[in-house]
Amino acid sequence: MALSTGSGAILAVAYDAGGLEFFDMEGDRLGEPTRFHLKDIADGRASSIQGTQLTIFPGVTIEGGLKAYVFGEGLVAPAQIDLPIPEQRAVEGLCSGEAGSQGLMRIAYWTISNNRLLRTGVIGQSGDELTWEEEDATEAGFPITSCVFAYDTLVASPRSAASASLTRGDNAALLSIEEGGPLQISTDLGMTTSSITVRDGITVTAPDVPTAVTANGSLPAGGYPGGVVVIAGETSEGTHQVVFVDPSAITLKD
């Protein structure tokens, strides 16, 4: 799963069995579902391309290709386009972060053949085309299973199957999930973690063992003054759900 920043936040959900769907913050589907088969997707960004407002999510296909998934005005379903990253090796996973004035978004990724090396760069725009400016290659020292940007800091993990950054103001927390475990939080860039208990809502049951997480601590969409955390997992036997969680106890804490 992944969330977009900018006006009109969008939730992207890619399914293990294949398929990609976009939702608004009310949980309503945007456009038609697609059959794209992804093994990873990172947080997206809203941008104006060719005078059209679009939201772009970077992702990795099941074959290891780097693509972008786009939705916006004039589209009836998410579309797939190539990312201008000259990577010949099959990619295993990626994460994205803010690029500020440098471009549209910052991306870090690792490949199947070298899962200890993170390559980073900035996706930008030149006219109507996307561009890529490589920044760095960082040796992690361990096999990478997930990565996340906490403002300008890139954090890689050898254990977490999924991770997300919950940032607001000067505060940054990392959320993570290890396979078969509960949602965890860290306030020291992953050095120490503690488990989070997500309370069920009036009509919503949270998964005890989530499988995916994404978050935004300062969501511009209405109804989420403290941002939002989205987790997915099995809530009962054979029933898988995506659940919106209010993190105000963390993000709005004095």
Side-chain angles (χ1 to χ4, degrees):
M1 295 189 305
L3 276 169
S4 69
T5 59
S7 59
I10 291 176
L11 173 68
V13 180
Y15 301 96
D16 288 340
L20 174 67
E21 294 182 314
F22 286 178
F23 299 88
D24 64 18
M25 291 297 99
E26 301 297 324
D28 296 325
R29 182 187 293 119
L30 299 173
E32 298 296 323
T34 70
R35 295 304 302 168
F36 299 128
H37 202 156
L38 285 72
K39 63 178 175 181
D40 204 359
I41 190 166
D43 289 341
R45 301 292 183 272
S47 181
S48 178
I49 298 178
Q50 296 183 351
T52 301
Q53 191 69 19
L54 298 173
T55 300
I56 303 172
F57 290 87
V60 182
T61 67
I62 194 65
E63 296 84 9
L66 284 165
K67 303 289 184 178
Y69 298 87
V70 180
F71 186 75
E73 300 171 17
L75 294 175
V76 297
Q80 177 182 275
I81 62 175
D82 291 331
L83 282 175
I85 301 176
E87 179 57 70
Q88 301 302 315
R89 294 161 296 184
V91 173
E92 179 65 20
L94 83 170
C95 57
S96 65
E98 298 292 341
S101 61
Q102 294 179 274
L104 182 60
M105 71 181 79
R106 181 166 276 106
I107 287 179
Y109 69 91
W110 68 97
T111 65
I112 293 175
S113 60
N114 190 349
N115 62 1
R116 294 172 176 263
L117 185 72
L118 273 173
R119 297 185 180 276
T120 59
V122 173
I123 294 290
Q125 290 178 250
S126 179
D128 297 331
E129 301 293 328
L130 295 179
T131 62
W132 169 252
E133 183 177 346
E134 187 165 345
E135 291 184 314
D136 204 359
T138 304
E139 180 69 39
F142 49 77
I144 300 163
T145 57
S146 70
C147 67
V148 64
F149 283 94
Y151 291 122
D152 294 333
T153 303
L154 175 61
V155 182
S157 173
R159 297 184 303 273
S160 300
S163 54
S165 177
L166 183 64
T167 57
R168 187 182 183 92
D170 295 330
N171 300 316
L174 301 184
L175 303 175
S176 61
I177 298 169
E178 295 184 21
E179 188 172 352
L183 182 65
Q184 296 183 316
I185 189 169
S186 172
T187 56
D188 54 9
L189 299 179
M191 298 299 292
T192 60
T193 61
S194 57
S195 298
I196 297 177
T197 299
V198 180
R199 295 194 300 268
D200 294 338
I202 298 174
T203 59
V204 177
T205 300
D208 291 328
V209 183
T211 56
V213 60
T214 185
N216 192 317
S218 54
L219 201 69
Y224 296 95
V228 67
V229 173
V230 187
I231 55 177
E234 191 175 43
T235 54
S236 61
E237 187 174 356
T239 301
H240 297 262
Q241 290 188 334
V242 173
V243 177
F244 291 73
V245 180
D246 180 6
S248 296
I250 299 170
T251 56
L252 300 183
K253 186 178 180 180
D254 293 333

